Amino acid sequence: MADPRGFLKVRDRETQPRRPVPVRIMDWKEVYEAQEKGVLKAQAGRCMDCGIPFCHQGCPLGNLIPEWNDLMWRDKGREAIERLHATNNFPEFTGRLCPAPCESSCVLGINQPAVTIKQVEVSIIDQAFDENWVTPHAPERLTDKTIAVVGSGPAGLAVAQQLTRAGHTVAVYERDDKIGGLLRYGIPDFKMEKAQIDRRLDQMRAEGTRFRTGVEVGRDISWEQLRRRYDAVVVATGATVPRDLPIPGRELNGVHFAMEYLVQANRAVAGERVKNSISAEGKHVVILGGGDTGADCLGTAHRQQAASVTTLAIGKQPPAERAAHQPWPTYPTLFETASAHEEGGERTYLASTVEFVGENGQLTGVRIAETEFVDGRRVPKAGTERVIPADLVFLSLGFTGPEPAGLAEQVHTEFDERSNVVRDGYYMTKTPGVFAAGDAGRGQSLIVWAIAEGRACAAAVDQWLTGSTRLPAPVAPSDRAISVL
C-alpha cells in the first residue's frame, strides 16, 4: 500500500493544473500540464489500505489501482507501468478521456475527496513514454490463424494488440485515411494530442499488427470476402449513427451533427485541407446536448473565436453532490465543469428546442421553451417560447448504434431493439467466426468499457480459434463468464 497515514496527512485533493484560459484558447495543445512530482507522490500516497478496494469494481478494466498508487509513491515508475499495462493497453487514452468511475467508488470518497486515480494513471504512462519504458511485446511464436478487426477505435485496437501478442496475424481495417477512429477525428487535440495515438501505433506495428486504411468494409470489400480471407472477423466499428432532432427547420443551412463539425476541425488542426469547412468564427453558436461531445464542440468553437456559444440541455441541471438514490460506490450523475466550460459560454438547462428559425434557407435562430414534465415526459411549457440568435447549431444528442454497412445482408448479423449487434456471452454474433466488441455491441459507452470489451473479446476469439487462451478477459457482455485457461 502507499503511505499508511497519507490520507490523514494530505486531506486536500489536488488535480493536475490547467493552462490559463487566455493562453490555451489561442492554440490546440492539451489543456493540462504535468503535475509537480512531489504533489503527485503526495496524492498517490492518499490511497488507503482500505481492505476491499472498491475502485477495482468501479473500473471495468479491473485496474490494479492501489498497487500502482503505492509504486508511484515509492518512486518505482517502471514497476508501476508494468502493473498498469497488466490490465490496460492504452492508459494514455483513458488517463486523458475516461470520466474515472473508479474515483466514484474510492473508499476515501466516503468522507473525503477521492484519490486522484486518473491523474496518477496518466502520469505513470507519460513518464513511461518519456523514459522509453514502453517497448514492443512481440509474440514468442506465431500461429497459423488470421483475424480481421474492422474499426480502429479503442475497442478495435485493444482486440488487435491482444490477439497479435497471442501470436495470431491481425489486420485492422479502417475506412478513414488514418488509424484511431473517434480518438483521431472525434476527440479535439486540446483533450488529447494525436501524438499519443501515433506512438502507441508505432509499438503495435513493431509487434506485428497490420493496418489497412482507406478501406470501408461493406463497400470497398464485403464482409463475406473478409470471412473467406480470415479465420475470424471482429466488428469494432463503434456506435457512430448520430441521434437526429426532426423538428421544423431541421433542413436549414447551419444545422449540423456534432461529429460532422468535430471531424472537420480535427482534420484542419492536423494540417489537412477541408472542403466546405464549418467554422464558428464570428458566429453565434448553439449546442444541443450537455455531454462530453457538446463540451468538445464548445472548446472547438472557442478556439475558432465564436461570437457566442450557448449550450442547451432539455433536462434538469445535475446536483453538485451525490443524490440519495446514487449512493457510494455507484457512479453518480453530477454537475461537472469541463475545461471547455471554464473558457466561456452559457449553459442553459430545462430548455426544449421547438424549432430552427431561418431566412432564405439559412439558420438565424433557435426557438426554445422551458421544459416541464407531464406524465413523466419532458415537453415544452406553453407560453415560455423565445428565440435566441444562432448562425450554427450542433446536434450533440448521442448515438443510436453502429452503421449496418452490409452486416445484416452479407453475414446475417442481427441487431437488437437498440440497434446494437447481437452477440452471445463470448462476443460472437449469430454468424460463427464473426465477433463484436465495444460500442458496436454494447451501445454508446465509455472508452474504458471499449478497451475492456476489446480485451475480453480477444480472449474469446483466441479460445474459439485454438481451444484455450492465456489472454485475460476482464468483462463479458452477459452473465456467462469467458473461461481463461
Side-chain angles (χ1 to χ4, degrees):
M1 62 169 290
D3 185 352
R5 297 180 59 83
F7 70 98
L8 297 175
K9 294 187 293 185
V10 183
R11 300 183 68 87
D12 292 334
R13 171 186 167 96
E14 188 172 342
T15 57
Q16 63 192 123
R18 297 171 178 174
R19 293 192 294 137
V21 170
V23 175
R24 71 191 194 217
I25 63 172
M26 300 301 293
D27 60 42
W28 297 87
K29 296 179 181 179
E30 288 187 13
V31 166
Y32 290 97
E33 298 177 325
Q35 196 167 51
E36 194 272 325
K37 186 175 181 180
V39 176
L40 179 67
K41 282 188 60 177
Q43 291 297 310
R46 296 179 69 236
C47 187
M48 304 168 63
D49 184 12
C50 54
I52 299 177
F54 280 82
C55 55
H56 286 195
Q57 170 270 334
C59 175
L61 284 163
N63 278 336
L64 307 173
I65 295 165
E67 295 185 27
W68 40 259
N69 273 330
D70 173 56
L71 290 166
M72 283 300 282
W73 180 68
R74 297 177 187 275
D75 277 333
K76 296 184 177 181
R78 189 156 198 162
E79 294 177 37
I81 188 56
E82 291 176 358
R83 302 309 294 147
L84 182 51
H85 270 152
T87 57
N88 186 352
N89 296 67
F90 315 120
E92 67 274 23
F93 302 160
T94 54
R96 287 171 167 82
L97 305 176
C98 181
C102 54
E103 294 185 5
S104 298
S105 56
C106 173
V107 172
L108 185 59
I110 295 175
N111 63 352
Q112 285 190 37
V115 175
T116 57
I117 298 171
K118 180 177 174 180
Q119 167 59 25
V120 177
E121 176 183 7
V122 76
S123 298
I124 292 172
I125 184 58
D126 284 350
Q127 180 187 12
F129 272 117
D130 291 342
E131 299 288 346
N132 295 318
W133 295 338
V134 181
T135 57
H137 294 271
E140 296 180 358
R141 63 180 180 83
L142 295 177
T143 71
D144 60 350
K145 304 299 183 182
T146 58
I147 300 106
V149 177
V150 183
S152 67
L157 293 179
V159 170
Q161 186 167 63
Q162 292 294 95
L163 288 173
T164 297
R165 291 176 173 178
H168 306 305
T169 300
V170 182
V172 178
Y173 286 81
E174 170 57 55
R175 65 182 177 182
D176 283 326
D177 57 333
K178 294 181 182 178
I179 295 295
L182 290 184
L183 293 172
R184 173 79 62 181
Y185 290 126
I187 303 297
D189 279 42
F190 59 80
K191 287 180 68 174
M192 186 182 74
E193 295 178 29
K194 302 308 177 276
Q196 305 294 339
I197 305 172
D198 294 334
R199 61 186 183 181
R200 183 60 74 172
L201 293 179
D202 288 342
Q203 181 202 37
M204 294 182 66
R205 289 189 181 95
E207 291 171 348
T209 302
R210 305 174 183 183
F211 296 100
R212 306 283 187 265
T213 57
V215 180
E216 184 171 354
V217 178
R219 192 170 83 176
D220 299 326
I221 181 174
S222 71
W223 291 95
E224 186 58 41
Q225 286 175 304
L226 281 189
R227 288 189 63 212
R228 291 197 299 266
R229 184 179 300 181
Y230 295 91
D231 296 306
V233 175
V234 178
V235 181
T237 54
T240 57
V241 178
R243 180 172 285 106
D244 206 347
L245 184 62
I247 60 175
R250 174 63 182 85
E251 75 288 350
L252 291 170
N253 293 327
V255 182
H256 305 274
F257 288 118
M259 276 303 157
E260 182 183 359
Y261 174 56
L262 293 175
V263 168
Q264 286 192 1
N266 274 285
R267 289 187 177 277
V269 171
E272 300 179 26
R273 182 174 298 177
V274 180
K275 295 181 179 179
N276 303 317
S277 176
I278 305 168
S279 176
E281 183 177 359
K283 296 180 180 179
H284 298 289
V285 177
V286 173
I287 301 167
L288 303 186
D292 286 342
T293 303
D296 293 345
C297 291
L298 177 63
T300 300
H302 287 149
R303 284 157 181 77
Q304 292 180 346
Q305 299 181 356
S308 69
V309 188
T310 303
T311 300
L312 303 179
I314 193 172
K316 298 178 181 179
Q317 179 175 320
E321 302 291 339
R322 283 183 181 271
H325 67 283
Q326 294 177 328
W328 177 91
T330 61
Y331 184 62
T333 301
L334 299 175
F335 180 74
E336 297 180 349
T337 301
S339 64
H341 296 128
E342 292 179 341
E343 297 164 1
E346 180 181 343
R347 303 171 77 176
T348 303
Y349 289 87
L350 289 175
S352 294
T353 305
V354 178
E355 178 186 8
F356 299 122
V357 180
E359 296 178 0
N360 300 320
Q362 183 64 44
L363 178 76
T364 59
V366 179
R367 189 182 306 277
I368 65 173
E370 294 180 13
T371 302
E372 65 177 349
F373 294 81
V374 178
D375 297 328
R377 297 181 300 112
R378 296 177 296 192
V379 299
K381 184 178 180 180
T384 63
E385 292 188 5
R386 61 189 176 95
V387 176
I388 59 175
D391 304 303
L392 285 174
V393 166
F394 299 127
L395 304 180
S396 176
L397 305 173
F399 302 88
T400 61
E403 299 175 32
L407 277 169
E409 300 82 5
Q410 297 173 17
V411 290
H412 312 295
T413 299
E414 295 182 3
F415 297 86
D416 62 20
E417 66 279 0
R418 297 189 301 151
S419 301
N420 300 322
V421 176
V422 174
R423 66 253 177 98
D424 65 14
Y426 298 90
Y427 294 86
M428 191 182 292
T429 68
K430 296 294 183 180
T431 303
V434 178
F435 299 77
D439 289 3
R442 182 182 182 82
Q444 181 186 359
S445 190
L446 306 178
I447 183 174
V448 69
W449 271 112
I451 297 173
E453 285 216 358
R455 289 170 61 88
C457 180
V461 173
D462 187 36
Q463 181 166 307
W464 185 76
L465 290 174
T466 66
S468 64
T469 184
R470 293 182 180 274
L471 294 174
V475 295
S478 72
D479 292 333
R480 296 172 62 192
I482 298 175
S483 62
V484 180
L485 306 178

